[in-house]
Amino acid sequence: SSIQVERELYADIMFIEGTPFLISVTAPLGLTVVIDLKGKRNEEHVWDAMQTTLNEYQRRGFRIMNVHSDGEGAIKLCENKLRALGIGFNPSGAGKHVPIIERKIRVVKERIRCVKNTLPYQLPKFLMPYLVKFCVLTINVMPSSLRADSISPKEAFTGVKLDFKRDLRICFGEYCQVFIPNQVKNSIEPRTEGAIALLP
């Protein structure tokens, strides 16, 4: 089936344990993208994250027509830069929220909470961005209610089908023994070392 190339992008700032992330979802593609703002939510950092998101869509041949936001200060400051790129900006009214992105934030936070609370250890704060990325990745490989077909947003975006051995064989935070490359073959040193899985 043909993939519509013109998209509407819904964006907001999401906070996970006090750390801000720019989160966006496109319709009707249904793809969720999250970018760590490195603790800063000023115009410069938000615009850099927004540009990274827009460039990724453009690289794959998708065109963002409009950005919808709930009037989040740092995103609203990007309005003129978006319009200069030929992208419309549609803020919601005062005190209003954008249902699509609000619902997505809720789903992402639920996934993060579920994974974090099944870990047999206390998750260090510096690993939290990896947990956020992992949860968004797993959301993107499931068919989206924003799409009329059963293709996952990731497959529609990349053209690559889901492969269990490559994409889902290990969960975030699992302990694993990993092969050490470029090691002297005749030594008696261990061939593997312990590691914590972050992303597939």
Side-chain angles (χ1 to χ4, degrees), residues 141-160:
V141 299
M142 297 293 292
S144 169
S145 61
L146 294 174
R147 295 185 57 80
D149 54 33
S150 60
I151 299 174
S152 73
K154 182 176 183 288
E155 182 181 340
F157 183 66
T158 64
V160 179

Side-chain angles (χ1 to χ4, degrees), residues 41-43 72-81 89:
R41 52 187 286 225
N42 55 28
E43 181 186 356
E72 161 66 41
I75 296 177
K76 189 161 180 14
L77 290 173
C78 299
E79 178 177 359
N80 291 336
K81 293 176 180 175
F89 181 76

Side-chain angles (χ1 to χ4, degrees), residues 17 116 119 121-129 172:
E17 294 187 347
K116 184 173 183 280
L119 296 175
Y121 52 85
Q122 194 74 26
L123 184 70
K125 190 168 183 178
F126 75 92
L127 291 182
M128 184 56 76
F172 175 87

Side-chain angles (χ1 to χ4, degrees), residues 33-188:
V33 176
V34 66
I35 298 179
D36 184 5
L37 294 175
K38 310 293 184 189
K40 298 175 182 175
R41 52 187 286 225
N42 55 28
E43 181 186 356
E44 181 185 353
H45 280 79
V46 171
W47 176 242
D48 284 346
M50 183 69 76
Q51 273 189 304
T52 300
T53 302
L54 296 173
N55 290 341
E56 188 62 25
Y57 282 106
Q58 186 176 23
R59 193 170 68 83
R60 296 280 183 178
F62 294 94
R63 185 178 173 212
I64 301 299
M65 302 297 292
N66 296 291
V67 172
H68 304 263
S69 176
D70 64 359
E72 161 66 41
I75 296 177
K76 189 161 180 14
L77 290 173
C78 299
E79 178 177 359
N80 291 336
K81 293 176 180 175
L82 287 168
R83 294 196 187 281
L85 295 175
I87 300 171
F89 181 76
N90 297 320
S92 61
K96 302 283 185 184
H97 292 285
V98 181
I100 289 177
I101 193 67
E102 291 296 321
R103 187 163 58 250
K104 188 63 70 171
I105 289 173
R106 210 159 47 240
V107 170
V108 171
K109 286 186 174 182
E110 285 170 0
R111 291 286 179 91
I112 291 169
R113 192 179 307 116
C114 289
V115 175
K116 184 173 183 280
N117 288 305
T118 59
L119 296 175
Y121 52 85
Q122 194 74 26
L123 184 70
K125 190 168 183 178
F126 75 92
L127 291 182
M128 184 56 76
Y130 291 98
L131 174 55
V132 174
K133 287 179 185 177
F134 177 84
C135 291
V136 168
L137 184 149
T138 56
I139 288 168
N140 282 331
V141 299
M142 297 293 292
S144 169
S145 61
L146 294 174
R147 295 185 57 80
D149 54 33
S150 60
I151 299 174
S152 73
K154 182 176 183 288
E155 182 181 340
F157 183 66
T158 64
V160 179
K161 286 190 175 294
L162 182 70
D163 183 302
F164 178 82
K165 288 184 179 178
R166 180 191 63 218
D167 301 320
L168 299 172
R169 67 177 178 170
I170 196 162
C171 188
F172 175 87
E174 286 187 358
Y175 174 81
C176 50
Q177 283 287 322
V178 295
F179 177 70
I180 305 170
N182 305 320
Q183 191 179 41
V184 178
K185 294 290 186 281
N186 61 357
S187 76
I188 58 171

